[in-house]
Amino acid sequence: KVGCKMLSSTTTTTVVQLYDCEAGLESFERGWSHRKKVWCCKTHHMGCAFDCRDHLSTWQVSWSAPQKTFCCATFKLGC
């Protein structure tokens, strides 16, 4: 009886982090470049102009007009 040998393989995915979003978070408004703010906000929800997860269940009455615009355009939340 002739059998087949199963070959196993593993795939490793490496995620490139363009910025360390933990570094300088407490002063991101002044300390981060515009590109870092955009990347960290979209990638990790850190350093955003608004916290789009805060009061999400009541966004219609809880969020300001600028927050609604930002969250809808950036994360498709509160649209």
Side-chain angles (χ1 to χ4, degrees):
K1 187 174 184 181
V2 177
C4 296
K5 183 177 180 180
M6 295 294 291
L7 299 175
S8 64
S9 66
T10 58
T11 302
T12 303
T13 302
T14 303
V15 176
V16 176
Q17 298 293 324
L18 296 178
Y19 300 99
D20 179 356
C21 299
E22 296 284 338
L25 181 59
E26 64 281 347
S27 60
F28 77 91
E29 295 94 345
R30 292 187 179 153
W32 289 4
S33 68
H34 176 72
R35 286 184 177 191
K36 182 175 179 176
K37 288 177 191 174
V38 169
W39 190 85
C40 289
C41 181
K42 288 191 175 199
T43 307
H44 296 289
H45 291 251
M46 298 172 76
C48 301
F50 298 99
D51 183 350
C52 298
R53 295 173 289 188
D54 190 36
H55 300 290
L56 182 57
S57 63
T58 60
W59 68 270
Q60 295 94 338
V61 295
S62 300
W63 293 358
S64 65
Q67 183 173 1
K68 290 175 185 175
T69 300
F70 172 83
C71 293
C72 183
T74 307
F75 299 111
K76 305 295 184 226
L77 296 172
C79 300

